[in-house]
Every structure is written in C-alpha cells, then in structure tokens.
Amino acid sequence: MFNKLCEVIERDRIATNVPMSTLTTFKTGGNADIIVSPQNNEELKNIVKLFHEMKSPYYVLGNGSNLLVSDNGIRTPIISIGKAFSSVEIFENCITAKAGAFLSSVARKARDNSLTGFEFAAGIPGSLGGALVMNAGAYGGEMKDVVEAVSFIDPSGEEHIVTCEEMEFSYRKSALSDTDCIITGATITLEKGDVEEIDKKMNELASKRREKQPVEMPSAGSTFKRPRGNFAGTLIENSGLKGRTIGGAQVSEKHGGFIVNKGGATTKDICDLIEVVRETVYEKHGILLETEVKYWE
Ligand code: FAD
C-alpha cells in the first residue's frame, strides 16, 4: 500500500504510525498505519482512484471532533482533508470554502465581511466537510440553512457538484453520510448584516457554550443524537448518570449529554460508558439513545 501510494503522491504527504489521540478531540485511540494528506483535488482524485483499483476501503478525516478511534488503532488508510483544503473566499454575499476550512474561520470571515447567518457554527470545532456530511447545527441553525452547493469526489474519483436540495439534509444526516464520497468544498449564501451585531451574537453564543458545556475538557461534543421530542442530556441527567465514571471517561458533571475524557481515558472506557448510559436511559425512560459520534476501528 505504502509503495503504491508513493506512486501517486509525494512521500512526505504520507504519514505512518500516527497516534490518533493527537488527531481527535477525545484524545484517545491507537495508531493509524497510514494517513495521506493530499494537497489538491488532483492528488485527492488519484488517491481515491488508487484505493478504488486496489479495492481498499478508506476513512476520511476532518478535524477529528466527532470521532472515537479504537485503542487498537486503524489498519485502513486515512485520507486527511486538512490545511491544504482550507481556503475561504468571499464574493458579495457568497462564501466559497474548501472542505478543510474550520467552521470558526468561515464564521470569522463572514463576520469581517458583514455577512450574517453563519454565527451558529462559529463554536463548532469541526471542518466544513465534516459539518456538511452530518449537517452540523447549533442554537437553531444548521448547515442546510446556509448551503447553496456542495462539491465532492465519489469513490471512483469523479468530481460532482450538488445543490442543497440534492444533499437531502436532515437531522445530523445528509445524502453523503455513510458513503465513501469526499466533500471538497461548498458555496454558502448569507445575508448582509451589521458587523457589530454579528460579533455580538457570536460572543453571546460562545459564552452560552462556555457556561453550559464542558468545552475545557476533551470530548466529541454531544455524544448522543437528540431523540425525537426529548433531549439526550436531560434523559441522562434524570437517570442519575451525571458524573458516572468508567476509567478516565465521565458523563460530564456540567452537561449530561457530553461524555468527557477527564484524563487518561481509553476509547474502551468511553465505549463502555456509552453502553451504560444507553442501557440505563432505556431502563428508566424506554428510549434507546443513538450515538452521534462516529466509531472507527
Ligand atoms: P471528523 O470528526 O473528522 O469526522 C466526522 C465524520 O465526518 C467522519 O465520518 C468523517 O469521515 C466525516 N468527514 C469529515 N470530513 C469529511 C469530508 N471532507 N468528506 C466526507 N466526510 C467527511 N456538532 C454539532 O453539530 N453541533 C455542535 O454544537 C457541536 N459542538 C461540539 C462541541 C465540542 C466541544 C466538540 C468537541 C464537538 C462538537 N460537535 C458539534 C461535533 C463536531 O464538531 C461536528 O460533528 C463536526 O461537524 C465534525 O467535523 P470534523 O471535521 O471534526 O469531522
């Protein structure tokens, strides 16, 4: 695999034996055998075509803020959509950004250009690609509200551009969820606003987050999806699970919907705690929580 990859991308774009604890916000997980970091669409297409020919599965990594990686590490090669894919450009009220751009950078750029509508995403610590594939959202906003078009590469290396409608966004889901397609960028349409108002809103949402969420501890944000007509955090807290600990993993004392790594947690600790939470909430409330976090092994 390594030698084949060297034929389509420079050697220094391929990292081996990388601790996933350094690339995930949970700060857990074993080593990844291979992480390849394409610098542009052409390189990305060549890598995908190679994996396609070799019938090799692959993972796509954004900012690692919604991931749990097995303590045994990852044998499947990982394609990292990182810094090389982070440009953000503005034309009138449209933003064209690449998939590796941080949502916070997109939000700042929107604010600096007096564009409103993206404030909700400023505090989500993900990449644009990661946010689009799962229709990330917060404080009443979702990616689907602002996206005009999305570009992606399919598993055979073909490029596509689809509209917001074609993305079939729904709660934490899109048409590209659970596919091997790789998002490369998007166009976002916003409205003209007042820079001070936008800044004020971003600051208000940031303080709300700091007040309610354990943002100072490693986690992947909300561990569970919101069950219909309910809140995972409330169900967990009402089940007496706040503060429940297994190894280094803990149901946050600040917000029941977050499992945090309070120091030295393994992925197994977190997964075991997830199971305890699911079982307990099911016993007490008859609701089976579904994880929002993705698991890689
Ligand atoms: P990753 O974690 O790298 O990947 C997640 C999934 O997306 C994987 O399946 C991966 O394969 C896929 N993926 C990533 N990039 C691409 C791409 N370019 N093309 C195709 N697939 C891709 N989420 C919310 O929705 N709302 C919140 O308010 C929120 N708050 C959070 C707060 C904290 C403190 C933390 C740690 C997380 C929070 N999250 C929240 C979760 C997370 O930030 C989002 O889910 C984010 O969209 C994940 O993006 P990422 O780039 O980190 O994706």
Side-chain angles (χ1 to χ4, degrees), residues 121-263:
I124 303 176
S127 67
L128 180 63
L132 286 165
V133 77
M134 53 93 73
N135 187 26
Y139 302 112
E142 286 178 303
M143 296 307 292
K144 78 168 172 50
D145 304 332
V146 292
V147 169
E148 191 75 32
V150 174
S151 52
F152 69 91
I153 286 175
D154 74 20
S156 63
E158 291 296 313
E159 278 187 83
H160 303 265
I161 298 180
V162 289
T163 61
C164 179
E165 209 166 56
E166 288 167 320
M167 279 295 283
E168 295 171 10
F169 288 117
S170 58
Y171 177 67
R172 300 297 173 265
K173 210 173 176 327
S174 77
L176 301 183
S177 304
D178 308 315
T179 71
D180 288 324
C181 295
I182 304 177
I183 296 176
T184 51
T187 306
I188 290 162
T189 304
L190 301 172
E191 283 177 14
K192 275 281 170 203
D194 176 71
V195 73
E196 276 170 26
E197 286 297 316
I198 297 166
D199 197 49
K200 191 169 154 222
K201 188 161 178 198
M202 278 167 62
N203 287 332
E204 276 169 11
L205 295 183
S207 347
K208 242 188 202 174
R209 257 184 207 275
R210 280 195 299 274
E211 190 193 324
K212 305 264 183 217
Q213 300 179 2
V215 288
E216 65 289 353
M217 295 179 90
S219 78
S222 302
T223 315
F224 301 97
K225 289 186 181 164
R226 196 177 59 223
R228 196 178 285 272
N230 229 312
F231 290 101
T234 311
L235 291 168
I236 293 166
E237 288 170 22
N238 291 345
S239 305
L241 288 161
K242 229 177 177 179
R244 176 69 72 89
T245 301
I246 295 183
Q250 185 178 52
V251 175
S252 164
E253 286 171 342
K254 201 165 174 185
H255 188 309
F258 283 57
I259 289 181
V260 294
N261 176 353
K262 70 185 182 75

Side-chain angles (χ1 to χ4, degrees), residues 7 25 33 47 52 64 72 92 105 110-111 124 128 138 142 154 159 190 213 227 233 274 287 296:
E7 287 171 17
T25 54
D33 281 359
I47 293 163
H52 190 63
N72 298 326
E92 295 180 345
S105 312
R111 176 201 57 198
I124 303 176
L128 180 63
E142 286 178 303
D154 74 20
E159 278 187 83
L190 301 172
Q213 300 179 2
I274 286 174
I287 293 173
W296 286 4

Side-chain angles (χ1 to χ4, degrees), residues 14 17 19 139 274 295:
I14 311 165
N17 254 334
Y139 302 112
I274 286 174
Y295 182 75

